[in-house]
Amino acid sequence: MSNKKAVVLVSGGLDSATILAMAREQGFDCYALSFDYGQRHRCELEASAEVAKTLGVLEHRILQLDLRQFGGSALTDDTIDVPQSLGDGIPVTYVPARNTIFLSMAMAWAEVLGALDIFVGVNAVDYSGYPDCRQEYIEAFEKMANLATKSGVEGNHLSIHTPLIDLTKADIIRQGTRLGVDYGKTLSCYNPDERGLACGVCDSCRLRAAGFVTAGVADPTHYQG
Ligand code: ZN
């Protein structure tokens, strides 16, 4: 079969587990990349390792990149509380430049691996207006990547795949369920406890729980209490 390689950004959440399964289905040999960026919830990284292992990646790297040195987000700064519900505008869970930073690292690893494909689980439908989850942003990044690398200049076109970009949470869950993803191993909560149990009330938990209901799939999330 094919020996196409892809770098897949894996956070440990529901979306990235799904794209990993989709990349596998498309015949890619997958290299999972996660970031220890100082996120509040360390259990996210344990979930990413579990997801990567279960879905058969060739290699899983966790890069240390402490974004708490800048802060500026409820996910990287202890002085900013994670909101219980969405307000107007871009929420405080937005992490400054996160996808640009992560995609840049993925681009570097892809060039070293000789991979011409990167998968990222950005989603424009359910996700609160994060500017780095938009299609036009991804297209601009792809164009930049092909100008930025030796591989690109030599005519090897790098593609950024965003198979979830226009899907609802329920659509994503249906896709992943079809591909056998065990969502019980994923973690989406912004506020899990130290055992990695989801709070059930943050934006991310509510979006996820509603997705299972709409998809008609039993919710395997491990909740607190
Ligand atoms: Zn939660």
Side-chain angles (χ1 to χ4, degrees):
M1 285 282 290
S2 118
N3 54 1
K4 298 181 296 178
K5 296 175 180 173
V7 174
V8 182
L9 290 171
V10 173
S11 68
L14 180 151
D15 293 348
S16 65
T18 308
I19 57 162
L20 184 51
M22 291 167 106
R24 290 284 314 275
E25 187 191 33
Q26 290 175 36
F28 286 99
D29 287 340
C30 295
Y31 293 77
L33 183 59
S34 304
F35 295 88
D36 182 357
Y37 65 92
Q39 57 270 58
R40 285 181 164 192
H41 26 298
R42 315 294 301 166
C43 32
E44 194 180 284
L45 289 170
E46 289 159 29
S48 75
E50 191 68 23
V51 163
K53 191 176 78 181
T54 312
L55 290 170
V57 304
L58 273 76
E59 195 175 344
H60 179 215
R61 297 253 181 119
I62 299 178
L63 288 192
Q64 308 284 330
L65 198 70
D66 191 354
L67 297 180
R68 281 175 307 191
Q69 293 176 89
F70 297 147
S73 165
L75 301 188
T76 54
D77 186 336
D78 289 339
T79 66
I80 303 174
D81 288 332
V82 174
Q84 296 289 310
S85 65
L86 278 182
D88 291 333
I90 296 170
V92 294
T93 50
Y94 164 72
V95 178
R98 180 172 57 183
N99 281 348
T100 306
I101 294 165
F102 288 3
L103 281 169
S104 297
M105 297 294 155
M107 168 179 99
W109 196 23
E111 186 168 23
V112 174
L113 288 167
L116 296 175
D117 298 272
I118 293 172
F119 282 73
V120 56
V122 297
N123 177 247
V125 177
D126 283 335
Y127 256 84
S128 355
Y130 292 162
D132 53 358
C133 290
R134 292 177 294 169
Q135 183 65 41
E136 54 265 53
Y137 161 75
I138 295 293
E139 286 167 10
F141 188 96
E142 183 179 289
K143 186 170 182 201
M144 181 280 288
N146 283 297
L147 292 169
T149 55
K150 175 171 180 281
S151 172
V153 168
E154 290 173 352
N156 303 301
H157 185 83
L158 180 78
S159 298
I160 313 286
H161 300 257
T162 58
L164 309 185
I165 198 149
D166 291 322
L167 300 188
T168 65
K169 197 58 89 183
D171 292 335
I172 294 167
I173 289 167
R174 286 191 195 101
Q175 284 284 334
T177 301
R178 179 179 64 80
L179 295 170
V181 175
D182 178 359
Y183 287 121
K185 294 191 189 311
T186 66
L187 179 71
S188 304
C189 181
Y190 287 145
N191 250 335
D193 68 10
E194 65 285 349
R195 293 167 298 168
L197 300 178
C199 77
V201 292
C202 72
D203 274 347
S204 186
C205 276
R206 285 196 245 192
L207 208 62
R208 173 180 166 122
F212 280 106
V213 171
T214 306
V217 172
D219 185 351
T221 307
H222 304 292
Y223 291 107
Q224 299 165 23

